[in-house]
Amino acid sequence: MTDLILKKGKERSLLRRHPWVYDTAVQKLTGKAVSGDTVRVCSYDGRFLAWAAYSKDSTLRARCWSFDESEQIDALWIEKKIKKALIARQSLFARTSAVRVIFGEADQLPGLVVDRYGDWFVTQFQAAGVEAFRDVIADVLMSVPGIKGIFDRSDAATRHREGLAERVELLRGQEPPQEIEVVEDGVRYGVDVRKGHKTGFYIDQRENRFLAQRLAREFKARTGRGMRALNCFCYTGGFSLALLAGGADEVISVDSSAEALAMAARNAARNGFDDSKAKWVQADVFEYLRKAREAGETFDLVILDPPKFASSHRHIDRAARAYKDINLNGLRLVTPGGDLLTFSCSGAMDVDLFQKVIAGAVIDSKREAWMIARLGAGADHPLMMTCPEGEYLKGLQLTLR
Ligand code: SAH
């Protein structure tokens, strides 16, 4: 076994069970190791710190499997972690057939994402360590009762940094249909696991879709009419369909992608929703919001769930301006008593900064707003307490006064 020896002082984060070793923390390797090999991470004075997967080309030089010296990282260990992850998600299947069953570091399988859509698993191997155990992982997943196949969507940019080529192919079993139908809180969605974003669907927004559905239902109970809502960056209609299921009367959904909008419309049809209640608009949200304001439009609910504006800390200022712009213009469209659900999935922007940006938008809008709730990803995307970097999705529910 090769030792990966850290520079003096660099053991501190690992002693606090943070699972990443950066290249700058490494003193030396005692022997040979190729990417994907398990190494023994030690402090400068030779104390055991962790078992980790080595990745020779990545600035994330090693990702920890375990901080327990007595453990042996082998096929059986991997199998145990997968089974533990599956058990932790079991209760969610009562509500939905779209669940993230493995979420990397939080499940002690750094770099591995596995989503279940109906009878298929979709995998993303984003690090050399899990890549080396690919067959073991596939075998264990394939043994889950009811599973027809595993589709691999290992096309994330992180693979390049790990020296791994992109791979999009059937890994085991049967080819999935062009669109897998999933049902979440009573709403049907088609998921294109080959070409859709991430593994095909924003599973992480489940609780917030449910909130949207509830807000639409409560609005109707309170006012006797269905709400008028605006869903910006709608993609395949996640929030739009939840709102229609909750009894919204009119949902305008905006996205720049014609393909996403076509799929969203198909998803609405899948649920038998009244065509006249859903409008699918192909436009740039920044421009759309400005024009809607000039036209004097108002909505009982506005949702802003944009793509990642900041891909790294270097882009944080520009991203903050973009978030402020859409939130300022979004806020201005909300009727008094109505809500804004606003999100950011930029990992580089933390919760505090996001909240400050939104507060700035509220001030500039000259509106009064309450913060009702902080929002985030669902229980199948747990956050490891020792690795706050795992928190990427954050949101706020504001009620306009
Ligand atoms: N809210 C969605 C996920 C949003 S993904 C859900 O819950 O499923 C981001 C979406 O924003 C993509 O569909 C992309 O096509 C769209 N998009 C990116 N930039 C845009 C822009 N400037 N105007 C409109 N849509 C944009």
Side-chain angles (χ1 to χ4, degrees), residues 197 201-202 204-205 209 231-239 254-258 260 283-286 303-309 343 345:
H197 290 183
F201 190 58
Y202 287 84
D204 52 0
Q205 288 284 24
R209 282 187 287 269
N231 179 18
C232 296
F233 309 97
C234 70
Y235 185 47
T236 55
F239 284 106
V254 184
D255 201 283
S256 54
S257 157
D284 173 65
V285 165
F286 292 82
I303 299 177
L304 300 170
D305 181 26
K308 190 158 65 176
F309 286 155
F343 300 94
C345 60

PDB file of all heavy atoms in Angstrom, residues 197 201-202 204-205 209 231-239 254-258 260 283-286 303-309 343 345, ligand 1:
ATOM      1  N   HIS A 197     -30.711  17.428 -18.865  1.00  0.00           N
ATOM      2  CA  HIS A 197     -29.718  18.020 -17.947  1.00  0.00           C
ATOM      3  C   HIS A 197     -29.419  17.064 -16.808  1.00  0.00           C
ATOM      4  O   HIS A 197     -30.261  16.289 -16.416  1.00  0.00           O
ATOM      5  CB  HIS A 197     -30.269  19.314 -17.330  1.00  0.00           C
ATOM      6  CG  HIS A 197     -30.385  20.434 -18.316  1.00  0.00           C
ATOM      7  ND1 HIS A 197     -30.802  21.689 -17.944  1.00  0.00           N
ATOM      8  CD2 HIS A 197     -30.148  20.485 -19.641  1.00  0.00           C
ATOM      9  CE1 HIS A 197     -30.799  22.476 -19.004  1.00  0.00           C
ATOM     10  NE2 HIS A 197     -30.416  21.776 -20.052  1.00  0.00           N
ATOM     11  N   PHE A 201     -33.262  15.038 -15.011  1.00  0.00           N
ATOM     12  CA  PHE A 201     -34.328  15.714 -14.260  1.00  0.00           C
ATOM     13  C   PHE A 201     -33.716  16.385 -13.037  1.00  0.00           C
ATOM     14  O   PHE A 201     -32.711  15.897 -12.505  1.00  0.00           O
ATOM     15  CB  PHE A 201     -35.347  14.647 -13.830  1.00  0.00           C
ATOM     16  CG  PHE A 201     -36.635  15.163 -13.247  1.00  0.00           C
ATOM     17  CD1 PHE A 201     -37.455  16.022 -13.973  1.00  0.00           C
ATOM     18  CD2 PHE A 201     -37.052  14.767 -11.980  1.00  0.00           C
ATOM     19  CE1 PHE A 201     -38.655  16.483 -13.428  1.00  0.00           C
ATOM     20  CE2 PHE A 201     -38.255  15.215 -11.433  1.00  0.00           C
ATOM     21  CZ  PHE A 201     -39.048  16.072 -12.158  1.00  0.00           C
ATOM     22  N   TYR A 202     -34.333  17.492 -12.590  1.00  0.00           N
ATOM     23  CA  TYR A 202     -33.845  18.167 -11.373  1.00  0.00           C
ATOM     24  C   TYR A 202     -34.502  17.531 -10.156  1.00  0.00           C
ATOM     25  O   TYR A 202     -35.412  18.087  -9.555  1.00  0.00           O
ATOM     26  CB  TYR A 202     -34.090  19.677 -11.456  1.00  0.00           C
ATOM     27  CG  TYR A 202     -33.138  20.321 -12.433  1.00  0.00           C
ATOM     28  CD1 TYR A 202     -33.414  20.342 -13.797  1.00  0.00           C
ATOM     29  CD2 TYR A 202     -31.916  20.842 -12.005  1.00  0.00           C
ATOM     30  CE1 TYR A 202     -32.519  20.881 -14.704  1.00  0.00           C
ATOM     31  CE2 TYR A 202     -31.018  21.385 -12.903  1.00  0.00           C
ATOM     32  CZ  TYR A 202     -31.320  21.408 -14.248  1.00  0.00           C
ATOM     33  OH  TYR A 202     -30.431  21.931 -15.148  1.00  0.00           O
ATOM     34  N   ASP A 204     -33.372  17.264  -7.356  1.00  0.00           N
ATOM     35  CA  ASP A 204     -33.104  18.033  -6.129  1.00  0.00           C
ATOM     36  C   ASP A 204     -34.199  19.033  -5.771  1.00  0.00           C
ATOM     37  O   ASP A 204     -34.278  19.482  -4.638  1.00  0.00           O
ATOM     38  CB  ASP A 204     -31.740  18.747  -6.240  1.00  0.00           C
ATOM     39  CG  ASP A 204     -31.588  19.581  -7.500  1.00  0.00           C
ATOM     40  OD1 ASP A 204     -32.528  19.636  -8.318  1.00  0.00           O
ATOM     41  OD2 ASP A 204     -30.512  20.189  -7.679  1.00  0.00           O
ATOM     42  N   GLN A 205     -35.059  19.394  -6.725  1.00  0.00           N
ATOM     43  CA  GLN A 205     -36.099  20.387  -6.450  1.00  0.00           C
ATOM     44  C   GLN A 205     -37.413  19.778  -5.959  1.00  0.00           C
ATOM     45  O   GLN A 205     -38.430  20.478  -5.866  1.00  0.00           O
ATOM     46  CB  GLN A 205     -36.365  21.233  -7.720  1.00  0.00           C
ATOM     47  CG  GLN A 205     -35.253  22.206  -8.080  1.00  0.00           C
ATOM     48  CD  GLN A 205     -35.261  23.436  -7.160  1.00  0.00           C
ATOM     49  OE1 GLN A 205     -35.765  23.395  -6.036  1.00  0.00           O
ATOM     50  NE2 GLN A 205     -34.685  24.519  -7.639  1.00  0.00           N
ATOM     51  N   ARG A 209     -40.891  21.781  -5.520  1.00  0.00           N
ATOM     52  CA  ARG A 209     -42.059  21.554  -6.396  1.00  0.00           C
ATOM     53  C   ARG A 209     -43.290  21.289  -5.539  1.00  0.00           C
ATOM     54  O   ARG A 209     -44.386  21.763  -5.824  1.00  0.00           O
ATOM     55  CB  ARG A 209     -41.812  20.364  -7.337  1.00  0.00           C
ATOM     56  CG  ARG A 209     -40.924  20.692  -8.533  1.00  0.00           C
ATOM     57  CD  ARG A 209     -40.867  19.538  -9.512  1.00  0.00           C
ATOM     58  NE  ARG A 209     -40.077  18.427  -9.023  1.00  0.00           N
ATOM     59  CZ  ARG A 209     -38.765  18.272  -9.241  1.00  0.00           C
ATOM     60  NH1 ARG A 209     -38.103  19.183  -9.938  1.00  0.00           N
ATOM     61  NH2 ARG A 209     -38.117  17.220  -8.773  1.00  0.00           N
ATOM     62  N   ASN A 231     -43.275  30.919 -14.179  1.00  0.00           N
ATOM     63  CA  ASN A 231     -42.155  30.026 -13.869  1.00  0.00           C
ATOM     64  C   ASN A 231     -41.010  30.298 -14.842  1.00  0.00           C
ATOM     65  O   ASN A 231     -41.091  29.953 -16.024  1.00  0.00           O
ATOM     66  CB  ASN A 231     -42.614  28.561 -13.960  1.00  0.00           C
ATOM     67  CG  ASN A 231     -41.481  27.583 -13.673  1.00  0.00           C
ATOM     68  OD1 ASN A 231     -40.460  27.961 -13.083  1.00  0.00           O
ATOM     69  ND2 ASN A 231     -41.648  26.342 -14.100  1.00  0.00           N
ATOM     70  N   CYS A 232     -39.953  30.942 -14.337  1.00  0.00           N
ATOM     71  CA  CYS A 232     -38.829  31.299 -15.205  1.00  0.00           C
ATOM     72  C   CYS A 232     -37.746  30.228 -15.178  1.00  0.00           C
ATOM     73  O   CYS A 232     -37.454  29.689 -14.120  1.00  0.00           O
ATOM     74  CB  CYS A 232     -38.227  32.621 -14.743  1.00  0.00           C
ATOM     75  SG  CYS A 232     -39.389  33.981 -14.911  1.00  0.00           S
ATOM     76  N   PHE A 233     -37.151  29.960 -16.331  1.00  0.00           N
ATOM     77  CA  PHE A 233     -36.162  28.883 -16.501  1.00  0.00           C
ATOM     78  C   PHE A 233     -36.857  27.546 -16.232  1.00  0.00           C
ATOM     79  O   PHE A 233     -36.411  26.748 -15.399  1.00  0.00           O
ATOM     80  CB  PHE A 233     -34.953  29.062 -15.561  1.00  0.00           C
ATOM     81  CG  PHE A 233     -34.322  30.425 -15.597  1.00  0.00           C
ATOM     82  CD1 PHE A 233     -34.645  31.385 -14.644  1.00  0.00           C
ATOM     83  CD2 PHE A 233     -33.416  30.754 -16.594  1.00  0.00           C
ATOM     84  CE1 PHE A 233     -34.058  32.648 -14.682  1.00  0.00           C
ATOM     85  CE2 PHE A 233     -32.827  32.013 -16.635  1.00  0.00           C
ATOM     86  CZ  PHE A 233     -33.147  32.964 -15.671  1.00  0.00           C
ATOM     87  N   CYS A 234     -37.966  27.315 -16.941  1.00  0.00           N
ATOM     88  CA  CYS A 234     -38.854  26.196 -16.589  1.00  0.00           C
ATOM     89  C   CYS A 234     -38.311  24.831 -16.984  1.00  0.00           C
ATOM     90  O   CYS A 234     -38.808  23.816 -16.508  1.00  0.00           O
ATOM     91  CB  CYS A 234     -40.221  26.402 -17.219  1.00  0.00           C
ATOM     92  SG  CYS A 234     -40.210  26.221 -19.029  1.00  0.00           S
ATOM     93  N   TYR A 235     -37.327  24.788 -17.910  1.00  0.00           N
ATOM     94  CA  TYR A 235     -36.781  23.504 -18.382  1.00  0.00           C
ATOM     95  C   TYR A 235     -37.939  22.594 -18.839  1.00  0.00           C
ATOM     96  O   TYR A 235     -38.722  23.000 -19.683  1.00  0.00           O
ATOM     97  CB  TYR A 235     -35.882  22.890 -17.297  1.00  0.00           C
ATOM     98  CG  TYR A 235     -35.172  21.618 -17.729  1.00  0.00           C
ATOM     99  CD1 TYR A 235     -34.513  21.551 -18.947  1.00  0.00           C
ATOM    100  CD2 TYR A 235     -35.169  20.499 -16.920  1.00  0.00           C
ATOM    101  CE1 TYR A 235     -33.865  20.389 -19.342  1.00  0.00           C
ATOM    102  CE2 TYR A 235     -34.526  19.325 -17.298  1.00  0.00           C
ATOM    103  CZ  TYR A 235     -33.879  19.271 -18.518  1.00  0.00           C
ATOM    104  OH  TYR A 235     -33.252  18.118 -18.899  1.00  0.00           O
ATOM    105  N   THR A 236     -38.074  21.386 -18.286  1.00  0.00           N
ATOM    106  CA  THR A 236     -39.126  20.486 -18.786  1.00  0.00           C
ATOM    107  C   THR A 236     -40.433  20.621 -18.005  1.00  0.00           C
ATOM    108  O   THR A 236     -41.271  19.729 -18.028  1.00  0.00           O
ATOM    109  CB  THR A 236     -38.640  19.024 -18.776  1.00  0.00           C
ATOM    110  OG1 THR A 236     -38.179  18.682 -17.449  1.00  0.00           O
ATOM    111  CG2 THR A 236     -37.498  18.815 -19.752  1.00  0.00           C
ATOM    112  N   GLY A 237     -40.573  21.751 -17.303  1.00  0.00           N
ATOM    113  CA  GLY A 237     -41.863  22.061 -16.691  1.00  0.00           C
ATOM    114  C   GLY A 237     -42.047  21.594 -15.256  1.00  0.00           C
ATOM    115  O   GLY A 237     -43.180  21.545 -14.769  1.00  0.00           O
ATOM    116  N   GLY A 238     -40.967  21.271 -14.571  1.00  0.00           N
ATOM    117  CA  GLY A 238     -41.062  20.776 -13.192  1.00  0.00           C
ATOM    118  C   GLY A 238     -42.016  21.573 -12.315  1.00  0.00           C
ATOM    119  O   GLY A 238     -43.039  21.057 -11.862  1.00  0.00           O
ATOM    120  N   PHE A 239     -41.705  22.849 -12.098  1.00  0.00           N
ATOM    121  CA  PHE A 239     -42.550  23.667 -11.230  1.00  0.00           C
ATOM    122  C   PHE A 239     -43.904  23.969 -11.871  1.00  0.00           C
ATOM    123  O   PHE A 239     -44.918  24.037 -11.188  1.00  0.00           O
ATOM    124  CB  PHE A 239     -41.853  24.994 -10.907  1.00  0.00           C
ATOM    125  CG  PHE A 239     -40.744  24.863  -9.896  1.00  0.00           C
ATOM    126  CD1 PHE A 239     -39.415  24.931 -10.290  1.00  0.00           C
ATOM    127  CD2 PHE A 239     -41.026  24.674  -8.555  1.00  0.00           C
ATOM    128  CE1 PHE A 239     -38.386  24.825  -9.354  1.00  0.00           C
ATOM    129  CE2 PHE A 239     -40.012  24.558  -7.613  1.00  0.00           C
ATOM    130  CZ  PHE A 239     -38.685  24.626  -8.011  1.00  0.00           C
ATOM    131  N   VAL A 254     -41.251  30.144 -18.924  1.00  0.00           N
ATOM    132  CA  VAL A 254     -40.291  30.744 -19.862  1.00  0.00           C
ATOM    133  C   VAL A 254     -38.977  29.968 -19.836  1.00  0.00           C
ATOM    134  O   VAL A 254     -38.449  29.650 -18.762  1.00  0.00           O
ATOM    135  CB  VAL A 254     -40.019  32.222 -19.485  1.00  0.00           C
ATOM    136  CG1 VAL A 254     -39.104  32.884 -20.517  1.00  0.00           C
ATOM    137  CG2 VAL A 254     -41.318  32.997 -19.340  1.00  0.00           C
ATOM    138  N   ASP A 255     -38.492  29.692 -21.028  1.00  0.00           N
ATOM    139  CA  ASP A 255     -37.162  29.072 -21.152  1.00  0.00           C
ATOM    140  C   ASP A 255     -36.607  29.435 -22.521  1.00  0.00           C
ATOM    141  O   ASP A 255     -37.364  29.711 -23.454  1.00  0.00           O
ATOM    142  CB  ASP A 255     -37.251  27.547 -21.012  1.00  0.00           C
ATOM    143  CG  ASP A 255     -35.907  26.917 -20.611  1.00  0.00           C
ATOM    144  OD1 ASP A 255     -35.025  26.783 -21.494  1.00  0.00           O
ATOM    145  OD2 ASP A 255     -35.741  26.570 -19.428  1.00  0.00           O
ATOM    146  N   SER A 256     -35.286  29.427 -22.645  1.00  0.00           N
ATOM    147  CA  SER A 256     -34.686  29.768 -23.937  1.00  0.00           C
ATOM    148  C   SER A 256     -34.595  28.539 -24.851  1.00  0.00           C
ATOM    149  O   SER A 256     -34.355  28.680 -26.042  1.00  0.00           O
ATOM    150  CB  SER A 256     -33.293  30.355 -23.722  1.00  0.00           C
ATOM    151  OG  SER A 256     -32.515  29.466 -22.950  1.00  0.00           O
ATOM    152  N   SER A 257     -34.780  27.364 -24.308  1.00  0.00           N
ATOM    153  CA  SER A 257     -34.608  26.148 -25.100  1.00  0.00           C
ATOM    154  C   SER A 257     -35.932  25.617 -25.649  1.00  0.00           C
ATOM    155  O   SER A 257     -36.837  25.238 -24.893  1.00  0.00           O
ATOM    156  CB  SER A 257     -33.941  25.065 -24.233  1.00  0.00           C
ATOM    157  OG  SER A 257     -34.211  23.779 -24.731  1.00  0.00           O
ATOM    158  N   ALA A 258     -36.027  25.586 -26.980  1.00  0.00           N
ATOM    159  CA  ALA A 258     -37.249  25.097 -27.632  1.00  0.00           C
ATOM    160  C   ALA A 258     -37.471  23.624 -27.297  1.00  0.00           C
ATOM    161  O   ALA A 258     -38.602  23.180 -27.089  1.00  0.00           O
ATOM    162  CB  ALA A 258     -37.141  25.283 -29.143  1.00  0.00           C
ATOM    163  N   ALA A 260     -36.545  21.974 -24.553  1.00  0.00           N
ATOM    164  CA  ALA A 260     -37.049  21.822 -23.181  1.00  0.00           C
ATOM    165  C   ALA A 260     -38.526  22.173 -23.125  1.00  0.00           C
ATOM    166  O   ALA A 260     -39.323  21.476 -22.474  1.00  0.00           O
ATOM    167  CB  ALA A 260     -36.247  22.709 -22.229  1.00  0.00           C
ATOM    168  N   ALA A 283     -38.076  32.429 -24.661  1.00  0.00           N
ATOM    169  CA  ALA A 283     -37.532  33.784 -24.532  1.00  0.00           C
ATOM    170  C   ALA A 283     -36.360  33.788 -23.571  1.00  0.00           C
ATOM    171  O   ALA A 283     -36.154  32.845 -22.815  1.00  0.00           O
ATOM    172  CB  ALA A 283     -38.617  34.739 -24.021  1.00  0.00           C
ATOM    173  N   ASP A 284     -35.628  34.887 -23.616  1.00  0.00           N
ATOM    174  CA  ASP A 284     -34.572  35.118 -22.639  1.00  0.00           C
ATOM    175  C   ASP A 284     -35.247  35.710 -21.396  1.00  0.00           C
ATOM    176  O   ASP A 284     -35.955  36.718 -21.498  1.00  0.00           O
ATOM    177  CB  ASP A 284     -33.553  36.097 -23.232  1.00  0.00           C
ATOM    178  CG  ASP A 284     -32.525  36.519 -22.203  1.00  0.00           C
ATOM    179  OD1 ASP A 284     -31.754  35.651 -21.764  1.00  0.00           O
ATOM    180  OD2 ASP A 284     -32.517  37.706 -21.815  1.00  0.00           O
ATOM    181  N   VAL A 285     -35.050  35.082 -20.256  1.00  0.00           N
ATOM    182  CA  VAL A 285     -35.758  35.504 -19.038  1.00  0.00           C
ATOM    183  C   VAL A 285     -35.436  36.952 -18.671  1.00  0.00           C
ATOM    184  O   VAL A 285     -36.329  37.706 -18.277  1.00  0.00           O
ATOM    185  CB  VAL A 285     -35.458  34.554 -17.857  1.00  0.00           C
ATOM    186  CG1 VAL A 285     -35.891  35.179 -16.534  1.00  0.00           C
ATOM    187  CG2 VAL A 285     -36.123  33.210 -18.069  1.00  0.00           C
ATOM    188  N   PHE A 286     -34.175  37.354 -18.829  1.00  0.00           N
ATOM    189  CA  PHE A 286     -33.795  38.730 -18.480  1.00  0.00           C
ATOM    190  C   PHE A 286     -34.666  39.739 -19.251  1.00  0.00           C
ATOM    191  O   PHE A 286     -35.195  40.683 -18.687  1.00  0.00           O
ATOM    192  CB  PHE A 286     -32.311  38.975 -18.788  1.00  0.00           C
ATOM    193  CG  PHE A 286     -31.381  38.201 -17.881  1.00  0.00           C
ATOM    194  CD1 PHE A 286     -31.075  36.874 -18.135  1.00  0.00           C
ATOM    195  CD2 PHE A 286     -30.827  38.812 -16.764  1.00  0.00           C
ATOM    196  CE1 PHE A 286     -30.223  36.164 -17.299  1.00  0.00           C
ATOM    197  CE2 PHE A 286     -29.976  38.116 -15.921  1.00  0.00           C
ATOM    198  CZ  PHE A 286     -29.669  36.780 -16.183  1.00  0.00           C
ATOM    199  N   ILE A 303     -41.537  32.212  -9.906  1.00  0.00           N
ATOM    200  CA  ILE A 303     -40.457  31.277  -9.580  1.00  0.00           C
ATOM    201  C   ILE A 303     -39.249  31.590 -10.465  1.00  0.00           C
ATOM    202  O   ILE A 303     -39.397  31.754 -11.680  1.00  0.00           O
ATOM    203  CB  ILE A 303     -40.907  29.809  -9.786  1.00  0.00           C
ATOM    204  CG1 ILE A 303     -42.085  29.482  -8.861  1.00  0.00           C
ATOM    205  CG2 ILE A 303     -39.735  28.843  -9.537  1.00  0.00           C
ATOM    206  CD1 ILE A 303     -42.655  28.074  -9.033  1.00  0.00           C
ATOM    207  N   LEU A 304     -38.082  31.681  -9.835  1.00  0.00           N
ATOM    208  CA  LEU A 304     -36.832  31.912 -10.568  1.00  0.00           C
ATOM    209  C   LEU A 304     -35.862  30.790 -10.212  1.00  0.00           C
ATOM    210  O   LEU A 304     -35.372  30.724  -9.086  1.00  0.00           O
ATOM    211  CB  LEU A 304     -36.217  33.257 -10.150  1.00  0.00           C
ATOM    212  CG  LEU A 304     -37.050  34.517 -10.378  1.00  0.00           C
ATOM    213  CD1 LEU A 304     -36.396  35.710  -9.687  1.00  0.00           C
ATOM    214  CD2 LEU A 304     -37.204  34.800 -11.878  1.00  0.00           C
ATOM    215  N   ASP A 305     -35.632  29.909 -11.157  1.00  0.00           N
ATOM    216  CA  ASP A 305     -34.689  28.805 -10.898  1.00  0.00           C
ATOM    217  C   ASP A 305     -33.689  28.725 -12.048  1.00  0.00           C
ATOM    218  O   ASP A 305     -33.754  27.836 -12.895  1.00  0.00           O
ATOM    219  CB  ASP A 305     -35.459  27.484 -10.745  1.00  0.00           C
ATOM    220  CG  ASP A 305     -34.519  26.315 -10.443  1.00  0.00           C
ATOM    221  OD1 ASP A 305     -33.433  26.556  -9.874  1.00  0.00           O
ATOM    222  OD2 ASP A 305     -34.872  25.167 -10.789  1.00  0.00           O
ATOM    223  N   PRO A 306     -32.767  29.690 -12.090  1.00  0.00           N
ATOM    224  CA  PRO A 306     -31.861  29.798 -13.242  1.00  0.00           C
ATOM    225  C   PRO A 306     -30.771  28.731 -13.233  1.00  0.00           C
ATOM    226  O   PRO A 306     -30.551  28.066 -12.225  1.00  0.00           O
ATOM    227  CB  PRO A 306     -31.246  31.187 -13.045  1.00  0.00           C
ATOM    228  CG  PRO A 306     -31.282  31.421 -11.578  1.00  0.00           C
ATOM    229  CD  PRO A 306     -32.520  30.724 -11.081  1.00  0.00           C
ATOM    230  N   PRO A 307     -30.055  28.611 -14.355  1.00  0.00           N
ATOM    231  CA  PRO A 307     -28.873  27.742 -14.357  1.00  0.00           C
ATOM    232  C   PRO A 307     -27.810  28.369 -13.466  1.00  0.00           C
ATOM    233  O   PRO A 307     -27.937  29.504 -13.031  1.00  0.00           O
ATOM    234  CB  PRO A 307     -28.429  27.746 -15.823  1.00  0.00           C
ATOM    235  CG  PRO A 307     -28.964  29.026 -16.379  1.00  0.00           C
ATOM    236  CD  PRO A 307     -30.233  29.298 -15.654  1.00  0.00           C
ATOM    237  N   LYS A 308     -26.746  27.621 -13.248  1.00  0.00           N
ATOM    238  CA  LYS A 308     -25.642  28.083 -12.420  1.00  0.00           C
ATOM    239  C   LYS A 308     -25.009  29.320 -13.049  1.00  0.00           C
ATOM    240  O   LYS A 308     -24.440  29.239 -14.127  1.00  0.00           O
ATOM    241  CB  LYS A 308     -24.632  26.925 -12.360  1.00  0.00           C
ATOM    242  CG  LYS A 308     -23.542  27.079 -11.382  1.00  0.00           C
ATOM    243  CD  LYS A 308     -22.929  25.746 -10.996  1.00  0.00           C
ATOM    244  CE  LYS A 308     -22.225  24.994 -12.101  1.00  0.00           C
ATOM    245  NZ  LYS A 308     -21.583  23.770 -11.687  1.00  0.00           N
ATOM    246  N   PHE A 309     -25.133  30.487 -12.416  1.00  0.00           N
ATOM    247  CA  PHE A 309     -24.524  31.699 -12.974  1.00  0.00           C
ATOM    248  C   PHE A 309     -23.037  31.796 -12.627  1.00  0.00           C
ATOM    249  O   PHE A 309     -22.277  32.455 -13.309  1.00  0.00           O
ATOM    250  CB  PHE A 309     -25.240  32.962 -12.469  1.00  0.00           C
ATOM    251  CG  PHE A 309     -26.602  33.193 -13.092  1.00  0.00           C
ATOM    252  CD1 PHE A 309     -27.566  33.939 -12.425  1.00  0.00           C
ATOM    253  CD2 PHE A 309     -26.930  32.689 -14.343  1.00  0.00           C
ATOM    254  CE1 PHE A 309     -28.818  34.170 -12.989  1.00  0.00           C
ATOM    255  CE2 PHE A 309     -28.177  32.911 -14.920  1.00  0.00           C
ATOM    256  CZ  PHE A 309     -29.125  33.655 -14.236  1.00  0.00           C
ATOM    257  N   PHE A 343     -34.111  30.739  -6.479  1.00  0.00           N
ATOM    258  CA  PHE A 343     -33.078  29.725  -6.237  1.00  0.00           C
ATOM    259  C   PHE A 343     -31.737  30.105  -6.848  1.00  0.00           C
ATOM    260  O   PHE A 343     -31.667  30.895  -7.800  1.00  0.00           O
ATOM    261  CB  PHE A 343     -33.508  28.380  -6.846  1.00  0.00           C
ATOM    262  CG  PHE A 343     -34.787  27.868  -6.270  1.00  0.00           C
ATOM    263  CD1 PHE A 343     -36.002  28.126  -6.890  1.00  0.00           C
ATOM    264  CD2 PHE A 343     -34.790  27.151  -5.082  1.00  0.00           C
ATOM    265  CE1 PHE A 343     -37.197  27.671  -6.337  1.00  0.00           C
ATOM    266  CE2 PHE A 343     -35.972  26.689  -4.530  1.00  0.00           C
ATOM    267  CZ  PHE A 343     -37.170  26.947  -5.156  1.00  0.00           C
ATOM    268  N   CYS A 345     -28.229  27.593  -7.819  1.00  0.00           N
ATOM    269  CA  CYS A 345     -27.550  26.295  -7.698  1.00  0.00           C
ATOM    270  C   CYS A 345     -26.043  26.475  -7.895  1.00  0.00           C
ATOM    271  O   CYS A 345     -25.323  25.530  -8.167  1.00  0.00           O
ATOM    272  CB  CYS A 345     -28.127  25.283  -8.680  1.00  0.00           C
ATOM    273  SG  CYS A 345     -27.975  25.771 -10.383  1.00  0.00           S
TER     274      CYS A 345
HETATM  275  N1  SAH B   1     -36.314  25.013 -13.034  1.00  0.00           N
HETATM  276  C1  SAH B   1     -35.955  23.842 -13.782  1.00  0.00           C
HETATM  277  C2  SAH B   1     -34.473  23.709 -13.959  1.00  0.00           C
HETATM  278  C3  SAH B   1     -33.832  24.906 -14.601  1.00  0.00           C
HETATM  279  S1  SAH B   1     -32.409  24.523 -15.530  1.00  0.00           S
HETATM  280  C4  SAH B   1     -36.549  22.595 -13.131  1.00  0.00           C
HETATM  281  O1  SAH B   1     -36.968  22.679 -11.973  1.00  0.00           O
HETATM  282  O2  SAH B   1     -36.600  21.555 -13.764  1.00  0.00           O
HETATM  283  C5  SAH B   1     -32.079  26.015 -16.305  1.00  0.00           C
HETATM  284  C6  SAH B   1     -32.918  26.287 -17.537  1.00  0.00           C
HETATM  285  O3  SAH B   1     -32.701  27.636 -17.883  1.00  0.00           O
HETATM  286  C7  SAH B   1     -32.565  25.469 -18.762  1.00  0.00           C
HETATM  287  O4  SAH B   1     -33.718  24.821 -19.232  1.00  0.00           O
HETATM  288  C8  SAH B   1     -32.055  26.495 -19.794  1.00  0.00           C
HETATM  289  O5  SAH B   1     -32.499  26.213 -21.116  1.00  0.00           O
HETATM  290  C9  SAH B   1     -32.677  27.760 -19.303  1.00  0.00           C
HETATM  291  N2  SAH B   1     -31.977  29.028 -19.576  1.00  0.00           N
HETATM  292  C10 SAH B   1     -30.668  29.315 -19.408  1.00  0.00           C
HETATM  293  N3  SAH B   1     -30.437  30.631 -19.631  1.00  0.00           N
HETATM  294  C11 SAH B   1     -31.636  31.191 -19.939  1.00  0.00           C
HETATM  295  C12 SAH B   1     -32.057  32.512 -20.240  1.00  0.00           C
HETATM  296  N4  SAH B   1     -31.205  33.535 -20.251  1.00  0.00           N
HETATM  297  N5  SAH B   1     -33.357  32.714 -20.494  1.00  0.00           N
HETATM  298  C13 SAH B   1     -34.237  31.693 -20.481  1.00  0.00           C
HETATM  299  N6  SAH B   1     -33.901  30.429 -20.172  1.00  0.00           N
HETATM  300  C14 SAH B   1     -32.610  30.185 -19.912  1.00  0.00           C
END
